[in-house]
Amino acid sequence: MHFVIMGCGRVGATLAGQLEDSGHSVSVVDQNPDAFRRLPSEFGGRRVTGLGFDRDALTQAGIEEAHAFAAVSSGDNSNIIAARVAREVFGVGKVVARIYDPRRAEVYSRLGIPTVATVRWTADQVLRRIIPTTAASEYQDPSSAVSVVALEPHADWVGTEIELIEERTGTRVAYLTRLGKGMVPGARAVLQENDVVHVAVETDRVAAAQRVLAQPPRPEEED
């Protein structure tokens, strides 16, 4: 598949290298030609000097054949404009824009433009490390009705079946992080020590699910 990335900062260069390592073709667009020095030395994709929302630059980058477009420059406005051009002018099915202002990110998400709110993501990751029981939001659908959050259960939940955890928290376990590696558990799988549980849950029920798992299971919640 072909991918077009706008912005060759650390994020853009890292994305380009990872995508190419996975066997995909990649084009990177940046208005500063010196930025391409951040790309891996072995990078074989296209380097296009220009504005990421300029049609000619995007055409040179192969936007018409792109499977996806990522706008990850340092400017919120540029990223949103570029994402809209890629989607609305060139019909790219998958677009994402990096946004620093979380309030604006919510607005654009509701308009159907997928965004990554850098400040909010960073804050969530910090909170997760300094307050272990804090639910770290990893994803929200455009309507904000459903969230995927990471929960760290109380140690007494170890040995509990995933099916029971779902029943007691009113969530669906999307996956576990076990020993640093993601895995999709079956309903009869059991929680192990130090597992991080990533659940899909209605956003207004996040706090309730968090409270349940942060405490030892009640007697009726045990096997």
Side-chain angles (χ1 to χ4, degrees), residues 72-146:
V72 292
S73 77
S74 59
D76 283 7
N77 289 336
S78 296
N79 288 341
I80 284 298
I81 294 171
R84 293 191 63 181
V85 170
R87 189 184 66 176
E88 297 171 12
V89 175
F90 292 99
V92 179
K94 294 181 180 296
V95 301
V96 64
R98 179 188 190 186
I99 300 297
Y100 286 86
D101 185 340
R103 293 170 298 180
R104 297 173 71 187
E106 290 178 0
V107 172
Y108 292 125
S109 289
R110 290 191 175 95
L111 292 174
I113 302 172
T115 59
V116 177
T118 305
V119 173
R120 174 170 295 174
W121 184 88
T122 302
D124 283 342
Q125 297 304 305
V126 171
L127 283 173
R128 178 175 163 187
R129 286 161 176 75
I130 63 177
I131 310 176
T133 58
T134 297
S137 177
E138 299 176 320
Y139 170 81
Q140 274 194 350
D141 79 294
S143 71
S144 298
V146 177

Side-chain angles (χ1 to χ4, degrees), residues 148-175:
V148 175
V149 298
L151 302 175
E152 297 191 29
H154 189 280
D156 288 356
W157 284 93
V158 170
T160 303
E161 292 184 349
I162 297 301
E163 187 175 43
L164 183 60
I165 291 175
E166 292 180 330
E167 177 184 337
R168 298 305 183 188
T169 59
T171 67
R172 294 296 174 90
V173 175
Y175 67 101

